[in-house]
Amino acid sequence: EVGSYLLGTAGDLPLTGDWTRAGRSGIGVFRPSTATFLLKFNLDDTAPDATIPFGQNGDLPLAGTWRNTKDANQLFVDGFE
């Protein structure tokens, strides 16, 4: 769906991915200050569908499908000094 959706706060980093293996992209953000992913499975104006603490303060996110399969996107973080 094309539209405008509000998710996250200043400092959050945007992500997109097929979080549920449904064949359509959802939106998300990674909050570096708390090392938390906030993901939306459906494009609507409700609260995040998933809040996932993962990584360490200051990490940077990367979403993708890494095994050449149709599995859901995987989330990785990698800290930089």
Side-chain angles (χ1 to χ4, degrees):
E1 297 174 45
V2 176
S4 177
Y5 303 94
L6 180 62
L7 178 65
T9 61
D12 289 351
L13 303 171
L15 298 165
T16 185
D18 182 1
W19 312 126
T20 62
R21 292 187 254 178
R24 64 179 185 266
S25 289
I27 59 173
V29 296
F30 178 72
R31 186 162 293 154
S33 62
T34 61
T36 303
F37 288 90
L38 299 113
L39 306 177
K40 290 291 298 163
F41 304 151
N42 299 300
L43 296 178
D44 56 32
D45 290 326
T46 61
D49 296 304
T51 302
I52 305 167
F54 184 65
Q56 300 176 32
N57 184 327
D59 282 350
L60 298 175
L62 182 61
T65 303
W66 309 111
R67 291 186 228 143
N68 197 23
T69 66
K70 293 188 180 195
D71 289 343
N73 286 72
Q74 298 167 347
L75 302 171
F76 290 90
V77 292
D78 187 19
F80 292 91
E81 295 183 6

